[in-house]
Amino acid sequence: MAKPTSRFVCQTCGATHRKWSGKCDDCGAWNSIVEEAVSEALPKSVATGGRRIDFVALSGASSDEQRFVSGIGEFDRVAGGGLVPGSATLVGGDPGIGKSTLLLQVTAALSQHGAAVYVSGEEAVDQVRMRAKRMGLAQAPVQLAAATAVRDIVASLDLPEAPLAAVIDSIQTMFVDTLDSAPGTVAQVRAAAQELIRVAKRRGTALLLVGHVTKEGTIAGPRVLEHMVDTVLYFEGERGHHFRILRAVKNRFGPTDEIGVFEMTDRGLVEVSNPSALFLGDREGNKVSGAAVFAGMEGTRPLLVEIQALVAPTAFGTPRRAVIGWDAARLHMVLAVLEARCGVPLAGRDVYLNVAGGLKVQEPAADLAVAAALLSSLNDCPVPAETVIFGEIGLSGEVRPVSQMESRLKEGAKLGFGAAIMPRRRQRGERGEAEIARREISHLGELVALFERESAQPRRPGPRDAAPAKGAR
Ligand code: TYD
Ligand code: MG
C-alpha cells in the first residue's frame, strides 16, 4: 500500500486524522482540520551522528541563579523575578490586546543591560520604528528585524555573542522551510518553536514568543506550545477597558499566581503599582445596593475589587444567571447555599454578577463578597459603609478562613476602609496590626441577618431592584 503523502491535523488540538472531516473527534472543534504534507525525511538535526552527553549530579556547582531584570516591575514579578537565561516564555493573548507593545517595551528596557533582539513577523521595520517613536523608545539600542524565516533567525541567534533576550512576534508568522504546510499551522508553529527554543537554550538567550489566542481561548497551534516552553504568560483585558493584566499560567522558575497590571495609554503601557486604587477608582461610594468590595489577593499582592450583583424578578420559567469575571459554577453554589441553608428566596429571580473593571477573580475567598452583593441587591440595601468583605463559603453555609487575612485587612485600611466582614479566625485573641474594625462571622446566616436588620423598610420588589449597580459601563 502506498504511504499516505498527507495527513489531516486539527489546528486547535493538534490531533491527526486519516481523512478530512468537518469536526475534530478529539476536541470537538468545527472546521479546524487542515491537510498537511507528510515529509519523508526525518528532521536533519537528528540524522547526523550524536555525541555523548555528560551526566552530572544534582548538587553540582551551578552558576548562581541569574536573571535578566528588565526594570518593568510588573513584568519582572510575573516572570518570577526576571527572565531566566536560556528560558522560553510564551506570551499569549487576543490580537490587539497589546502583546507587541509590551514586548517592545520589555526589549527596550533589557537593551539597556545587553543585546536585545526584536524580530517582527507581522510588522515592517518602519511600523515598529513608528510605534517605538510614539512610545518614546526610539533611542533604545534594540536590534530590530522584520523576518519570518526560522532558518535565518536561528542563524542570527546562534552566535557566540548571542543576545541576552530575543522576542519573536509572533510564532504564528514564523516559517520553517523544511515543512510544506503554511505558517500558523500546528506543524509549523511546533517546528518553529522547537528550533528557536533549541538555539535559545544553547546560547543562554531568554526567548520570548508571542502567540495569538484563538477565539476559543487557546493559543492557536496551541497546547503543543504550552508544554514546550518554560513559562506561559497571558496578557488579557476587556475591550473597552484601558487596563491590561499579565498573568502567569505556567512558570518553571516562579509562582503562577502573580499578576501584573498595566494601563494602555497613547504612549504605550504604563505600570499600575497600586491596582486597588485603579479598580475602585470610579466607585460611587456606598449609595447603591448590590455592590460589595472584595479584598482579594493576586499572588503576593492584595487587590480590592468591586463585585456587583443585580437580583431581579424573572420573566421566564427558568431564571437567568449571568456572570462576568467570576466562576459561574461558584455563583450557582453560593445561590444554592443561600437558598437551602439560609432560606433566602432566589429561585424565581434572575441574577447578574459582574466584577467591576473587567478583572477576573479566581479565588474562592470572593464567595462572601458575592453573597453580600447578592443580599444587598435582593434587600435593596447597600452594603454597610466603607466595608471590605472576604471569606470562603462551605456547602453547609459555614464561612471559612482564607489565606493572608492580615494582608487583605491592611490593604483595606490603606485605602480608607474602616471595617471588614470576614471569617472567624481559628486562634482567637491574636489581633493583627491593621487598623480596621473586624466583624467576624462563622455562618452565612449571620450575613443574611445583617442585611435583614440593615434594610430599614420591608423590601419593595419590582423596579427598585433594577437600580443600576453600575454594571453597564
Ligand atoms: P499591539 O501591541 O499591536 O497588540 P498585539 O500585538 O497584542 O496584537 O497593540 C495594539 C493596540 O494597542 C492597538 O489597538 C492600539 C493600542 N495602543 C495604544 O493604545 N497605545 C500605544 O502606545 C500603542 C503602541 C498601542
Ligand atoms: Mg502584535
Side-chain angles (χ1 to χ4, degrees):
M1 202 180 88
K3 269 208 174 148
T5 55
S6 64
R7 60 182 179 179
F8 297 85
V9 182
C10 170
Q11 299 302 303
T12 306
C13 69
T16 50
H17 304 272
R18 258 185 296 166
K19 60 181 173 45
W20 190 87
S21 69
K23 184 183 179 190
C24 172
D25 289 337
D26 279 48
C27 68
W30 285 96
N31 216 8
S32 65
I33 294 177
V34 166
E35 182 171 6
E36 288 182 3
V38 179
S39 73
E40 290 292 311
L42 284 170
K44 289 192 183 63
S45 50
V46 183
T48 52
R51 63 184 167 80
R52 273 186 58 186
I53 309 167
D54 296 326
F55 293 99
V56 295
L58 270 180
S59 62
S62 271
S63 54
D64 278 349
E65 188 186 304
Q66 179 214 354
R67 285 178 187 258
F68 304 144
V69 179
S70 69
I72 300 176
E74 297 290 301
F75 177 83
D76 291 335
R77 201 186 51 254
V78 176
L83 295 170
V84 173
S87 69
T89 304
L90 177 66
V91 180
D94 294 328
I97 207 75
K99 301 178 296 297
S100 305
T101 310
L102 174 72
L103 290 181
L104 188 59
Q105 284 179 261
V106 168
T107 319
L110 285 169
S111 70
Q112 308 293 344
H113 311 289
V117 167
Y118 185 94
V119 181
S120 178
E122 293 183 351
E123 289 162 286
V125 166
D126 281 341
Q127 285 176 302
V128 181
R129 279 199 184 133
M130 242 159 58
R131 179 195 297 235
K133 199 166 153 200
R134 188 151 46 85
M135 287 156 54
L137 301 173
Q139 299 312 315
V142 171
Q143 300 176 20
L144 177 64
T148 54
V150 173
R151 191 183 287 275
D152 300 345
I153 298 170
V154 166
S156 320
L157 295 180
D158 201 1
L159 303 170
E161 65 278 12
L164 204 72
V167 172
I168 307 294
D169 185 5
S170 65
I171 190 68
Q172 276 104 350
T173 56
M174 294 298 135
F175 182 67
V176 178
D177 54 17
T178 52
L179 297 178
D180 289 338
S181 37
T185 54
V186 173
Q188 280 286 357
V189 164
R190 193 185 322 186
Q194 219 157 34
E195 295 291 342
L196 291 164
I197 290 169
R198 194 178 305 149
V199 55
K201 288 245 181 317
R202 187 159 59 227
R203 295 296 179 176
T205 301
L207 183 70
L208 292 148
L209 303 173
V210 173
H212 291 294
V213 165
T214 59
K215 57 184 183 306
E216 287 82 25
T218 50
I219 292 180
R223 311 257 160 79
V224 287
L225 268 192
E226 291 200 2
H227 79 261
M228 284 165 62
V229 297
D230 301 304
T231 305
V232 179
L233 308 178
Y234 273 96
F235 203 41
E236 55 191 37
E238 294 285 322
R239 260 174 227 284
H241 288 295
H242 51 283
F243 59 85
R244 304 278 179 265
I245 291 163
L246 186 67
R247 192 187 290 280
V249 287
K250 165 183 172 180
N251 195 343
R252 290 196 179 135
F253 313 112
T256 53
D257 50 3
E258 294 285 356
I259 64 164
V261 184
F262 296 89
E263 191 174 351
M264 182 62 96
T265 69
D266 54 353
R267 305 197 39 144
L269 292 156
V270 178
E271 289 180 67
V272 177
S273 40
N274 186 358
S276 294
L278 178 79
F279 289 117
L280 294 181
D282 38 9
R283 213 164 64 92
E284 291 164 10
N286 57 310
K287 294 186 290 291
V288 290
S289 63
V293 176
F294 165 53
M297 293 296 296
E298 287 286 353
T300 54
R301 197 165 52 166
L303 183 61
L304 302 190
V305 285
E306 185 178 279
I307 293 186
Q308 305 164 344
L310 178 61
V311 180
T314 182
F316 303 103
T318 313
R320 210 177 128 69
R321 270 84 215 257
V323 193
I324 300 171
W326 205 49
D327 185 6
R330 273 206 97 79
L331 172 67
H332 285 119
M333 190 206 83
V334 172
L335 290 172
V337 173
L338 278 170
E339 179 110 36
R341 304 287 181 189
C342 310
V344 179
L346 288 161
R349 293 169 206 275
D350 290 344
V351 173
Y352 300 89
L353 191 80
N354 177 39
V355 177
L359 191 73
K360 286 195 180 63
V361 175
Q362 283 159 349
E363 280 187 291
D367 291 353
L368 200 60
V370 168
L374 292 170
L375 289 167
S376 163
S377 177
L378 181 71
N379 293 306
D380 193 14
C381 157
V383 171
E386 298 310 320
T387 302
V388 293
I389 305 173
F390 57 86
E392 186 180 340
I393 296 173
L395 283 182
S396 62
E398 83 274 19
V399 175
R400 298 153 161 256
V402 295
S403 64
Q404 290 165 289
M405 302 215 276
E406 210 51 43
S407 309
R408 297 171 199 264
L409 292 171
K410 263 193 211 141
E411 180 77 359
K414 200 171 93 193
L415 278 131
F417 287 83
I421 298 177
M422 55 183 285
R424 184 154 290 143
R425 277 164 305 175
R426 291 192 192 93
Q427 299 115 345
R428 304 240 50 198
E430 71 158 301
R431 282 317 230 194
E433 65 254 48
E435 287 193 12
I436 192 163
R438 296 141 205 255
R439 183 179 276 170
E440 298 184 2
I441 61 175
S442 56
H443 195 276
L444 192 52
E446 296 170 49
L447 189 72
V448 175
L450 181 79
F451 276 97
E452 275 163 5
R453 232 179 306 131
E454 294 264 339
S455 66
Q457 310 108 310
R459 233 184 72 73
R460 288 154 297 170
R464 275 302 293 269
D465 275 356
K470 254 193 350 139
R473 237 187 304 142

